[in-house]
Amino acid sequence: MVNGELDRTDNTRQGQDLELQKQQRSEKSKTIILTLVLSFFIIGGFGTWGYYYLFGAKSASDVILPTNEEVEEAEKSSGIEIFKPTIEVPKTEIQRRLNVMHEYWNSRLGYDQWNNYKVDTHTSELKKVENDIREKILPYVGGPLKTDIEVAIGKIERSIETKSVEPLKGVHRIFHDLDITLNDYQDASDFWEVTETFDWYQKNAVQ
């Protein structure tokens, strides 16, 4: 009789222990899931912030930009002429063409218009723009500025080949930064630091 009662007591305790273990496992699982969910949102939030902090645009007001005279001094100190003017195409005209190209991309991709931009419906226009850059800008620039223009041309070609708008965003940013760096363009809040020209200036600026 006593043994039977003890057996029942042991079985009851075992059952209670098993139930308690199940509850503990359940609570532990809930805690792990909640931790993972919170971590996802927290890390995701900081990750997004970190991405834009590291790879996004700087505020244009935080960047010390050169005057025309300072660019000329950098050309002298480096021995590299970034402008190759002619009688027909003086330096001011080269600068104007850079600005026109920047404004063109503003009108096509600026203010999030790139979300709705379809490369395959603009292929003819893109080829004309690429040709204009080749004929009206590339022959009149040198050094790092020539490199930036060649990169922009390559991105347009890649966009046409892949039907992707992503390379064009890079083209826009190049002309955006060039316009700010070389023309003191005022109507911009961002600066992407994507050009060889700006890097060249920083290295060769006369202190």
Side-chain angles (χ1 to χ4, degrees):
M1 184 72 167
V2 174
N3 288 338
E5 290 294 334
L6 289 174
D7 289 341
R8 283 196 295 272
T9 301
D10 288 341
N11 290 336
T12 300
R13 286 177 179 172
Q14 288 176 359
Q16 291 174 340
D17 290 342
L18 288 172
E19 186 64 29
L20 181 60
Q21 290 174 6
K22 288 180 181 179
Q23 290 178 354
Q24 290 174 337
R25 283 197 297 268
S26 177
E27 291 298 325
K28 188 175 181 180
S29 297
K30 290 179 181 178
T31 301
I32 292 173
I33 293 172
L34 181 60
T35 301
L36 290 173
V37 170
L38 290 173
S39 297
F40 174 80
F41 283 107
I42 293 172
I43 294 173
F46 279 109
T48 301
W49 176 85
Y51 173 84
Y52 283 109
Y53 179 79
L54 293 173
F55 303 110
K58 276 189 175 182
S59 171
S61 62
D62 292 338
V63 181
I64 300 175
L65 299 169
T67 63
N68 282 333
E69 291 74 19
E70 288 171 332
V71 171
E72 291 174 359
E73 289 297 324
E75 286 181 305
K76 292 177 183 177
S77 67
S78 67
I80 298 173
E81 293 183 347
I82 64 171
F83 291 106
K84 301 285 187 180
T86 65
I87 295 176
E88 295 80 12
V89 184
K91 178 181 175 181
T92 53
E93 175 60 18
I94 302 169
Q95 291 173 300
R96 188 191 72 82
R97 294 179 183 184
L98 292 172
N99 170 255
V100 168
M101 194 55 60
H102 176 206
E103 295 290 8
Y104 166 80
W105 293 111
N106 275 346
S107 70
R108 293 295 184 272
L109 304 180
Y111 308 104
D112 292 332
Q113 292 182 80
W114 61 269
N115 284 311
N116 300 313
Y117 188 92
K118 304 297 181 185
V119 174
D120 53 357
T121 62
H122 291 84
T123 300
S124 296
E125 182 179 335
L126 287 172
K127 288 181 178 180
K128 182 179 183 304
V129 171
E130 178 193 339
N131 190 62
D132 283 345
I133 295 173
R134 285 185 184 279
E135 294 186 354
K136 298 179 180 179
I137 297 179
L138 188 59
Y140 306 103
V141 295
L145 182 51
K146 182 178 181 181
T147 299
D148 289 331
I149 299 304
E150 289 173 336
V151 170
I153 291 171
K155 287 180 180 295
I156 294 174
E157 291 176 333
R158 188 153 61 252
S159 178
I160 293 172
E161 291 172 2
T162 62
K163 307 299 182 186
S164 170
V165 73
E166 287 299 318
L168 297 183
K169 290 164 66 177
V171 178
H172 185 192
R173 290 172 182 176
I174 287 172
F175 282 103
H176 172 94
D177 279 11
L178 290 177
D179 203 9
I180 293 176
T181 303
L182 302 176
N183 292 334
D184 194 26
Y185 181 82
Q186 297 292 323
D187 297 331
S189 58
D190 298 329
F191 190 78
W192 293 94
E193 291 188 294
V194 295
T195 66
E196 292 293 325
T197 299
F198 185 69
D199 289 345
W200 162 83
Y201 170 73
Q202 287 189 307
K203 293 174 184 176
N204 294 283
V206 177
Q207 303 298 324

